Amino acid sequence: SAVISQKPSRDICQRGTSLTIQCQVDSQVTMMFWYRQQPGQSLTLIATANQGSEATYESGFVIDKFPISRPNLTFSTLTVSNMSPEDSSIYLCSVLTGGGYEQYFGPGTRLTVT
Amino acid sequence: DQQVKQNSPSLSVQEGRISILNCDYTNSMFDYFLWYKKYPAEGPTFLISISSIKDKNEDGRFTVFLNKSAKHLSLHIVPSQPGDSAVYFCAARSTPGGFQKLVFGTGTRLLVSP
């Protein structure tokens, strides 16, 4: 398994501003992911972040809105840019381990945009 | 197109009884399945997984059954405890050809009453 921490745990932000969410893992992992869970919805993959390469974004998500950094094998950041109330969600960091089959999640960052 | 479906949004069970959570999928390429438990304001916690080469996997009180021909899997919790009250997500991926993203169901809220 992996122990994953995220900062901040929650935030309330004003429309038009940006927030950077940090994800720290207690071991080196190749693949890290960022998910979003909107109220009452399932988990949606935003992008896959691999160290040393550009993040791969899912359909409906773009780099200008959700820039991602992955400077090393234990850390990643996700920025939510130019926020609107529709961005109010829980943002989750996730890593792949267990031989590439099991996937673990961080505690999440609860974002509210007013 | 919802490739992983959890048709029961909620389930209520008495403490000590069996909880059965169901999940159906449509993509025949899925070959690895995972169950997660999620408490409010926390990230999903990995519970148990199963490969398509098996039809059952057991871990303590949790057992997952896979019926490939019916494209159906279920999670059994025996005996159910009040602390099991949470939202349960089923997830699936296909592994041939390299990593494929996890596809999540919409979740089932389990309430275990004393």
Side-chain angles (χ1 to χ4, degrees):
Chain A
S1 65
V3 177
I4 306 169
S5 60
Q6 286 184 233
K7 290 181 182 179
S9 59
R10 59 175 58 225
D11 208 341
I12 300 173
C13 301
Q14 289 196 337
R15 180 195 300 259
T17 62
S18 298
L19 175 72
T20 295
I21 302 168
Q22 298 179 6
C23 175
Q24 181 75 52
V25 189
D26 68 339
S27 58
Q28 294 186 338
V29 294
T30 303
M31 302 190 79
M32 294 179 74
F33 313 92
W34 287 97
Y35 285 79
R36 179 173 76 179
Q37 185 187 20
Q38 295 180 301
Q41 303 295 314
S42 186
L43 284 76
T44 301
L45 180 63
I46 297 171
T48 302
N50 293 328
Q51 194 265 338
S53 63
E54 293 279 338
T56 303
Y57 289 82
E58 295 297 306
S59 176
F61 298 97
V62 295
I63 187 171
D64 289 346
K65 175 69 175 176
F66 298 101
I68 288 171
S69 77
R70 179 81 198 274
N72 57 52
L73 293 174
T74 63
F75 187 79
S76 177
T77 67
L78 169 75
T79 299
V80 186
S81 304
N82 188 24
M83 288 184 284
S84 67
E86 292 70 34
D87 294 320
S88 297
S89 291
I90 299 172
Y91 290 86
L92 296 150
C93 172
S94 178
V95 303
L96 193 65
T97 181
Y101 288 95
E102 294 171 3
Q103 193 164 330
Y104 295 87
F105 287 81
T109 296
R110 182 179 292 272
L111 171 62
T112 303
V113 183
T114 60
Chain B
D1 176 29
Q2 190 69 33
Q3 297 185 67
V4 179
K5 301 178 184 178
Q6 294 176 256
N7 292 319
S8 298
S10 64
L11 174 68
S12 292
V13 172
Q14 282 195 319
E15 181 178 9
R17 307 292 289 266
I18 184 171
S19 294
I20 300 176
L21 297 100
N22 294 304
C23 179
D24 296 293
Y25 60 96
T26 58
N27 188 340
S28 58
M29 297 299 293
F30 287 149
D31 62 353
Y32 200 77
F33 305 88
L34 304 90
W35 282 94
Y36 290 87
K37 176 173 70 174
K38 188 178 185 301
Y39 294 119
E42 293 185 13
T45 301
F46 169 74
L47 276 177
I48 192 168
S49 61
I50 189 167
S51 163
S52 61
I53 62 174
K54 296 184 176 181
D55 55 17
K56 177 182 174 181
N57 189 26
E58 192 171 355
D59 185 1
R61 297 187 297 116
F62 302 92
T63 302
V64 56
F65 295 92
L66 175 62
N67 183 332
K68 291 186 291 293
S69 60
K71 294 191 179 68
H72 177 84
L73 63 155
S74 60
L75 175 68
H76 293 209
I77 306 173
V78 183
S80 300
Q81 300 172 354
D84 295 329
S85 298
V87 177
Y88 289 77
F89 290 97
C90 165
R93 73 153 58 95
S94 61
T95 53
F99 170 77
Q100 301 292 331
K101 68 178 182 180
L102 271 183
V103 179
F104 282 86
T106 50
T108 296
R109 184 178 301 277
L110 173 65
L111 178 61
V112 180
S113 54

